[in-house]
Amino acid sequence: MVPDTCSAAPDCTALADAILDTLVHRIGKDAQAALPHDWLAATIFTVRNDIIERWMVSSKAAHAAGAKKVYYLSLEFLIGRLLRDALGNLQRSDEVKAALAVHGVDLAELEEIEPDAALGNGGLGRLAACFMESLASLQLPAYGYGIRYMNGMFRQRIENGWQVELPENWLVHGNPWEFERRESAYFVGFGGEVVGHDDGTIHWKPAEAVEAIAVDTPVVGWRGKRVNTLRLWTARAFDPIRLDRFNAGDFSGALAGQIGAETLVRVLYPNDSTAAGQELRLRQEYFFSSASIQDIVRRHVQYFGDIKTLADKAAIQLNDTHPAVSVAELMRVLVDYHDLNFDEAWDIAKRTFGYTNHTLLPEALESWPLPLFEWLLPRHMQIVYAINAKLLREARAVEGIDDRAIAAISLIDEGGERRVRMANLAFVGSHSVNGVAALHTDLMKRTVFADLHTLYPTRINNKTNGITPRRWLQECNPGLTALIREAIGDAFLDDAEKLADLAPFAEDSWFREKFAAVKRANKAALADYIKTTLGLRIDPTAMFDVQIKRIHEYKRQLLGIIETVALYDQIRGHPERDWTPRVKLFAGKAASSYANAKLIIKLANDVARRINSDPSVGGLLKIAFLPNYNVSLAEKIVPAADLSEQISTAGMEASGTGNMKFALNGALTIGTLDGANIEIMERVGPENIVIFGMTADEVAAKRAAGYDPRATIEASGALNQALSAIASGVFSPDDPTRYKDLMNGLYDHDWFMVAADFDAYVAAQREVDTRWADTPGWEAAAVRNVARVGWFSSDRTIREYATDIWGVL
């Protein structure tokens, strides 16, 4: 007899029958033979029916209203697992849980085996995913455009402490969420030549081409009121197999076209340290940009007829510089296929595009060797030159723009190897250019875009990043969500800024106890995961000190590791002191060509191996590097964190969104005055955050003054000792010189100010220890963080974009 699990969910019995019917007729299994992945697919297909109906209603309503649409172009969409997200937003989690229980199936177990979509790497892609969810939640018609990567970036495995990159085969068993749209297929060309005709028209004759095929995924908004579309492009050769070559015995050559097409969508961020890698990266960016622009223009003409009204009905947002070639592509389509003159097309393009900048790092402000760009995209090179001529003539007419400024403004970098500057193209081709935190936006005006800002003084604006509270509170931390509902009701579920009503509960000992119990449960769950994954036992009552993000020198994981080594020395040298038990948790991927970042991962694991096996620290310090960081792993770590490490070199992190996720889940931040840390401090109050180190202006001044890191290191006994231990092979006895160059680099050229900020960081960590010892004070500060960061909801961010940039609210 199957237990009656449906008594609390009236539609549960019908749903249980529907899932079983899908299992039998769609999956081809009966209940007795079905395995968990069969039940997962049957559940998704069943729930998907409801989503499809809402999707169609949403699309028809937008068309009927003649609504202006938002088109969000991003090379990454780190959407994570979708079943829990969809059920939460549809508010059907309890119903589906009960229906599956009828068949003896646990929904939570199914959610855990759903693969993460390998469509992104870090904050850029996760921001895009949060924005898509908020666009649907705010009932704004929108499409996201990207690439349907077959293998994503890579699946990270740690072998003997080293990062090993393996294919992320997330599509190996298909994807029940996606729908191929054969009717939305576009010709995307490369190379060839540009031919002029007697009538003045120009025709680009590509030497090769692929077909871009649309694959759509529904994006469900909060309470299911709107479902938008994430449209990803896959590539196919027009002749998948050349039978003449195959029959001649050239089997590899016969498939070369299809292999080339699949290469475009195989991997996110191919290693671009080689000429071939650079070419593939540019091909990828043009491939998805061209297909997206063609699709947007086709849709506009289909529904509105007149191409000249494009800017009134379409808002295209470029998420960083990767889709910047879209500016030239739209110009090509408007001029070559819709017969607009250049000036008219340029006006339409500028009014249509917005550009979000995510970095001040010169290497991330993409530029391409001019010969490569011209060879691969000859017509676009002509358009870039034409835009540049118009730009520089306009700049020459502005007082105060001299030859130096002209060189900085130009779309062509003439210094050394001539390169096409994609960030400049995105800037001049957009009516709005926004930063993603107040400091970042200010630095954009003063540094990388200073001269363009002089030319267009009203174009740069700020839109501080946000995160969706549905995934990053309600879904990943149901215990805390339930406690907040008990305390202040449900209003915060629809408006995250209503979390402010929680602030008085920071003084309520009953609430703090409940709050602490939720945190302990989350930590215990993470401890179990770490035991299962790494075989490492950690104490859930210790402070969980967490730094999870892309591994990069400016994010300064190295600073955290070196301080850990110094702390290890202090604990061993002074066992009589009352040390705070800590678990240092690291996670993140290093780009495959980034040698120093990969070495930092190895160092973290070497230090962990030594410290975790040393009985002299008495369990007071443990370290774990968790492999294959992704959205699902973040959903386990974030609710369990006590301390959030946001310690980037000031002035180098555009915003950060991990800082927001941790604060929303009751972790205190230790960080520099960088990115959105500044605004978090303003919201939560300086007494509820731990700030250390130099400001962005102080970093710039120190560099300009000729900073001598060697003198700084030698003046700090703890730092000097830690660096010497690492460099001498204490943590790498199998290769004593492994970290010698990495440590010597700090003595010779400490660009990221690891040594300069070290003593301040150590002092801040000891302040953290003091605060941790005051349990009621720590818990109160954690509650205040939750209560005061509702403003960092991506709903607020999207409202600002919609009002100030897109004109859709």
Side-chain angles (χ1 to χ4, degrees):
M1 176 75 68
V2 177
D4 179 14
T5 63
C6 287
S7 57
D11 298 325
C12 166
T13 301
L15 180 59
D17 290 342
I19 292 172
L20 182 60
D21 183 72
T22 302
L23 181 73
V24 173
H25 296 105
R26 181 72 184 265
I27 310 301
K29 290 281 189 76
D30 62 25
Q32 287 70 36
L35 298 173
H37 66 263
D38 299 315
W39 285 109
L40 173 64
T43 302
I44 291 174
F45 283 128
T46 304
V47 172
R48 201 179 71 168
N49 292 336
D50 180 17
I51 295 172
I52 291 170
E53 291 175 5
R54 295 169 189 257
W55 199 6
M56 290 181 175
V57 169
S58 298
S59 297
K60 290 176 181 177
H63 295 327
K68 185 176 185 179
K69 292 184 176 66
V70 174
Y71 298 104
Y72 198 80
L73 274 61
S74 178
L75 203 59
E76 297 185 42
F77 285 95
L78 203 56
I79 57 177
R81 295 166 175 164
L82 292 181
L83 179 57
R84 183 186 299 156
D85 194 51
L87 292 179
N89 278 5
L90 292 171
Q91 297 184 289
R92 298 189 66 185
S93 299
D94 290 342
E95 178 192 1
V96 173
K97 180 179 180 180
L100 286 168
V102 169
H103 303 296
V105 177
D106 184 356
L107 173 61
E109 292 182 4
L110 299 189
E111 290 172 341
E112 282 296 313
I113 65 171
E114 182 181 9
D116 272 53
L119 300 172
N121 174 41
L124 180 81
R126 186 51 235 174
L127 180 77
C130 285
F131 278 8
M132 287 301 299
E133 195 269 357
S134 279
L135 280 160
S137 294
L138 295 176
Q139 302 184 61
L140 298 174
Y143 277 73
Y145 282 105
I147 294 177
R148 180 183 178 269
Y149 300 104
M150 298 169 69
N151 297 115
M153 190 171 175
F154 56 80
R155 177 169 56 89
Q156 182 193 57
R157 190 164 69 198
I158 303 299
E159 292 185 0
N160 193 30
W162 291 102
Q163 171 177 289
V164 176
E165 296 121 28
L166 302 170
E168 187 72 82
N169 296 318
W170 73 289
L171 289 170
V172 68
H173 299 298
N175 178 8
W177 292 107
E178 66 182 21
F179 298 81
E180 184 177 297
R181 306 301 192 193
R182 298 179 185 177
E183 70 280 6
S184 296
Y186 300 96
F187 178 101
V188 178
F190 302 98
E193 61 179 341
V194 180
V195 178
H197 301 283
D198 292 342
D199 61 359
T201 60
I202 293 176
H203 181 217
W204 175 28
K205 296 176 62 177
E208 55 180 299
V210 298
E211 186 179 29
I213 309 292
V215 180
D216 289 353
T217 298
V219 178
V220 183
W222 175 235
R223 300 193 187 278
K225 292 180 179 178
R226 179 167 187 87
V227 179
N228 279 331
T229 302
L230 175 59
R231 174 157 287 186
L232 305 174
W233 300 104
T234 190
R236 185 161 57 207
F238 284 97
D239 294 312
I241 182 170
R242 290 283 302 274
L243 285 176
D244 55 340
R245 292 187 178 183
F246 190 88
N247 291 329
D250 182 8
F251 306 130
S252 298
L255 298 172
Q258 185 59 26
I259 292 171
E262 290 182 359
T263 300
L264 285 173
V265 297
R266 178 68 66 179
V267 174
L268 166 68
Y269 298 143
N271 184 345
D272 60 359
S273 62
T274 65
Q278 288 185 28
E279 180 185 332
L280 176 56
R281 179 84 167 263
L282 180 54
R283 281 177 179 265
Q284 283 185 320
E285 293 182 5
Y286 176 66
F287 165 75
F288 107 87
S289 296
S290 176
S292 303
I293 293 299
Q294 291 183 66
D295 195 48
I296 292 166
V297 170
R298 186 270 307 163
R299 184 178 297 107
H300 177 79
V301 172
Q302 177 182 343
Y303 288 106
F304 302 107
D306 186 0
I307 191 61
K308 295 181 180 180
T309 64
L310 178 66
D312 300 323
K313 295 297 182 180
I316 305 176
Q317 192 69 27
L318 306 176
N319 191 31
D320 218 6
T321 55
H322 310 122
V325 71
S326 299
V327 173
E329 176 68 359
L330 179 58
M331 290 294 292
R332 182 183 76 88
V333 171
L334 294 179
V335 172
D336 293 1
Y337 290 99
H338 291 273
D339 301 321
L340 298 185
N341 66 55
F342 189 89
D343 288 343
E344 192 173 24
W346 185 234
D347 176 68
I348 291 171
K350 287 191 296 182
R351 289 189 294 117
T352 302
F353 282 111
Y355 163 49
T356 301
N357 173 271
H358 283 279
T359 184
L360 302 173
L361 297 175
E363 64 268 24
L365 295 170
E366 287 187 321
S367 64
W368 299 108
L370 193 145
L372 169 63
F373 194 94
E374 188 161 27
W375 170 73
L376 200 62
L377 303 171
R379 176 59 177 141
H380 299 78
M381 191 72 256
Q382 292 180 340
I383 291 169
V384 168
Y385 272 123
I387 294 170
N388 204 40
K390 188 176 183 66
L391 169 68
L392 296 185
R393 282 194 293 268
E394 181 181 346
R396 279 294 182 192
V398 176
E399 184 177 353
I401 301 290
D402 56 15
D403 287 345
R404 182 209 56 78
I406 287 288
I409 288 169
S410 176
L411 304 186
I412 310 298
D413 183 357
E414 302 283 356
E417 179 191 31
R418 300 175 75 210
R419 302 179 73 90
V420 183
R421 292 169 165 156
M422 304 310 289
N424 286 27
L425 176 61
F427 191 110
V428 302
S430 301
H431 68 279
S432 166
V433 179
N434 72 279
V436 292
L439 174 64
H440 170 233
T441 300
D442 179 61
L443 290 172
M444 283 170 58
K445 295 176 182 179
R446 294 194 279 131
T447 58
V448 294
F449 294 128
D451 296 294
L452 282 165
H453 177 57
T454 298
L455 185 59
Y456 303 112
T458 63
R459 192 164 294 186
I460 296 178
N461 61 92
N462 181 58
K463 298 289 174 283
T464 297
N465 280 345
I467 58 173
T468 169
R470 269 76 61 180
R471 183 179 287 261
W472 295 109
L473 177 60
Q474 297 174 36
E475 293 168 27
C476 76
N477 204 341
L480 180 56
T481 302
L483 179 61
I484 296 171
R485 293 178 74 179
E486 182 181 353
I488 64 172
D490 289 353
F492 77 97
L493 299 176
D494 296 289
D495 179 1
E497 294 193 55
K498 298 292 186 183
L499 284 167
D501 294 342
L502 194 67
F505 288 86
E507 313 306 323
D508 186 323
S509 60
W510 171 88
F511 182 85
R512 291 199 309 268
E513 288 178 8
K514 294 279 191 179
F515 184 92
V518 169
K519 180 68 74 173
R520 282 195 299 273
N522 292 334
K523 292 170 70 174
L526 180 59
D528 287 343
Y529 174 84
I530 291 172
K531 175 65 171 64
T532 301
T533 305
L534 301 179
L536 176 66
R537 294 183 183 275
I538 60 174
D539 181 2
T541 67
M543 180 197 300
F544 281 17
D545 178 352
V546 178
Q547 189 175 19
I548 52 171
K549 54 187 71 217
R550 179 167 54 94
I551 308 297
H552 196 291
E553 286 171 284
Y554 90 81
K555 293 179 183 289
R556 300 204 295 191
Q557 285 91 352
L558 187 56
L559 176 59
I561 297 168
I562 294 171
E563 191 276 334
T564 302
V565 170
L567 177 61
Y568 173 54
D569 286 337
Q570 287 292 307
I571 293 173
R572 290 190 302 171
H574 298 279
E576 78 284 358
R577 293 180 184 172
D578 189 16
W579 296 103
T580 297
R582 280 185 189 243
V583 177
K584 302 276 288 189
L585 299 176
F586 297 91
K589 295 179 181 179
S592 56
S593 61
Y594 195 168
N596 269 7
K598 296 170 83 168
L599 192 58
I600 288 169
I601 291 176
K602 174 60 173 171
L603 176 60
N605 281 286
D606 277 349
V607 171
R609 185 180 66 248
R610 173 65 179 268
I611 293 177
N612 292 345
S613 61
D614 188 343
S616 70
V617 295
L620 290 171
L621 184 62
K622 295 287 187 182
I623 308 169
F625 187 97
L626 302 181
N628 203 38
Y629 179 56
N630 57 17
V631 175
S632 296
L633 181 54
E635 289 171 337
K636 293 180 173 67
I637 297 173
V638 168
D642 295 303
L643 187 66
S644 163
E645 298 268 356
Q646 308 297 330
I647 60 175
S648 54
T649 310
M652 303 195 76
E653 183 73 85
S655 170
T657 54
N659 45 10
M660 303 168 191
K661 293 163 191 158
F662 282 115
L664 184 61
N665 284 271
L668 271 61
T669 301
I670 181 171
T672 52
L673 287 172
D674 195 27
N677 291 354
I678 298 171
E679 289 155 278
I680 290 175
M681 181 184 68
E682 292 169 352
R683 297 279 166 175
V684 306
E687 70 280 6
N688 298 303
I689 190 171
V690 181
I691 296 295
F692 74 94
M694 293 179 289
T695 65
D697 287 342
E698 288 169 343
V699 168
K702 198 172 190 68
R703 287 172 177 160
Y707 162 52
D708 178 13
R710 183 173 297 275
T712 299
I713 293 168
E714 290 174 353
S716 172
L719 176 58
N720 201 4
Q721 181 176 336
L723 296 185
S724 296
I726 296 169
S728 66
V730 168
F731 298 95
S732 54
D734 58 317
D735 182 1
T737 64
R738 179 179 295 143
Y739 302 113
K740 184 177 180 180
D741 289 344
L742 185 65
M743 296 300 102
N744 285 345
L746 296 179
Y747 283 88
D748 298 333
H749 187 68
D750 182 26
W751 180 256
F752 299 104
M753 301 290 164
V754 171
D757 270 346
F758 179 81
D759 284 347
Y761 180 55
V762 170
Q765 289 286 18
R766 301 296 74 79
E767 179 186 343
V768 168
D769 290 342
T770 300
R771 291 193 182 195
W772 180 261
D774 174 17
T775 300
W778 183 281
E779 292 170 354
V783 173
R784 292 188 199 105
N785 269 265
V786 177
R788 295 175 181 176
V789 296
W791 184 83
F792 293 97
S793 165
S794 51
D795 294 352
R796 184 269 313 159
T797 311
I798 288 298
R799 285 192 189 96
E800 292 180 3
Y801 274 94
T803 301
D804 302 340
I805 299 176
W806 302 329
V808 294
L809 270 182

